[in-house]
Amino acid sequence: LLTTIVFLLCSSLHTHAEDIVYKFNINSEISPSVTRLVESALQQAQSRHAAYILIELDTYGGLVDDADKIRTMLLRTKIPTLVFIKNNAASAGALISIACDSIYMASGATIGAASVVNQNGEVMPEKYQSYMRKKMRATAEETGRNPLIAEGMTDENLAIDGIKEKGKIVTLTTDEALKLGFCNAKTENITEIIKRLPGSPELVNHQ
């Protein structure tokens, strides 16, 4: 009898733990501290058997190597990942966003402009751009988005019919991202995203 009670209790707790959206924020420059934050949040989400991982993101970018580490962690997790672009998903932020399974954007938000620059804002040599281009493309391929558009966020020499001409970098508004399949829906807050998910899961904020 005791064994049965313990089993039922554990089953109940397990079911409850799975019905959560585990949320954390990225609202600063992408750096080693952000990489540690993401690693910690993903570990907590996995230990709680979260149904979803949700990132609220607003960044102009940051370090490419840290963005790549975050991208890799997001692609490897088995928990569905969602990102809410509150305002900016530029450069490294675009790479992180494209690594998520679903992208939601607020009105007036943007995603793109992923050329690699130095601390003075000067465009880095071709070998750096080539690396970022292929990272963007490979990430889009992995998450089922148009890899040519992702590559165009870095490659100014790439021309895409009806989307970009040579000499420009792709940056998408919310409506443009919706039209091109780089955004699942326009939402103004986290509550709207939660309402779209099946089962009315509980929101849990990462501490």
Side-chain angles (χ1 to χ4, degrees):
L1 179 62
L2 180 60
T3 302
T4 303
I5 292 172
V6 171
F7 175 77
L8 291 174
L9 179 60
C10 289
S11 297
S12 175
L13 288 173
H14 181 70
T15 301
H16 177 71
E18 286 186 331
D19 197 26
I20 66 171
V21 177
Y22 199 86
K23 172 183 170 289
F24 64 96
N25 299 341
I26 297 177
N27 52 17
S28 62
E29 181 178 291
I30 306 304
S31 63
S33 63
V34 176
T35 300
R36 291 192 295 271
L37 165 69
V38 174
E39 184 177 21
S40 172
L42 294 186
Q43 288 174 351
Q44 288 295 320
Q46 290 162 6
S47 68
R48 298 191 62 165
H49 305 284
Y52 301 93
I53 294 167
L54 174 58
I55 306 169
E56 183 174 307
L57 184 140
D58 186 4
T59 181
Y60 287 109
L63 300 177
V64 173
D65 55 345
D66 280 288
D68 186 34
K69 291 174 185 176
I70 294 169
R71 161 215 181 256
T72 302
M73 286 189 283
L74 292 171
L75 290 177
R76 287 180 178 174
T77 183
K78 296 181 180 179
I79 302 173
T81 51
L82 323 171
V83 61
F84 172 51
I85 302 173
K86 193 173 182 179
N87 191 22
N88 298 302
S91 193
L95 179 62
I96 291 169
S97 297
I98 295 172
C100 293
D101 297 308
S102 299
I103 297 176
Y104 298 90
M105 297 175 68
S107 299
T110 53
I111 179 173
S115 295
V116 183
V117 298
N118 61 21
Q119 292 180 339
N120 297 320
E122 300 164 338
V123 176
M124 296 288 282
E126 168 59 20
K127 70 174 184 178
Y128 298 98
Q129 308 307 327
S130 175
Y131 176 83
M132 189 64 166
R133 273 200 305 272
K134 295 310 176 184
K135 280 294 179 182
M136 293 287 286
R137 183 181 183 90
T139 305
E141 289 174 347
E142 188 69 19
T143 54
R145 299 184 175 94
N146 188 327
L148 198 60
I149 296 175
E151 201 169 348
M153 292 181 177
T154 301
D155 189 357
E156 65 178 14
N157 294 316
L158 180 67
I160 309 174
D161 290 342
I163 297 174
K164 78 176 283 289
E165 58 188 62
K166 190 173 180 179
K168 294 187 177 181
I169 294 293
V170 172
T171 298
L172 303 176
T173 66
T174 300
D175 289 340
E176 289 170 341
L178 270 170
K179 181 180 178 181
L180 296 172
F182 268 72
C183 177
N184 293 73
K186 181 192 293 186
T187 55
E188 298 308 320
N189 51 57
I190 297 297
T191 302
E192 290 183 17
I193 298 174
I194 301 298
K195 288 180 178 178
R196 290 175 173 270
L197 302 176
S200 301
E202 175 190 358
L203 181 66
V204 174
N205 289 296
H206 178 67
Q207 300 296 319

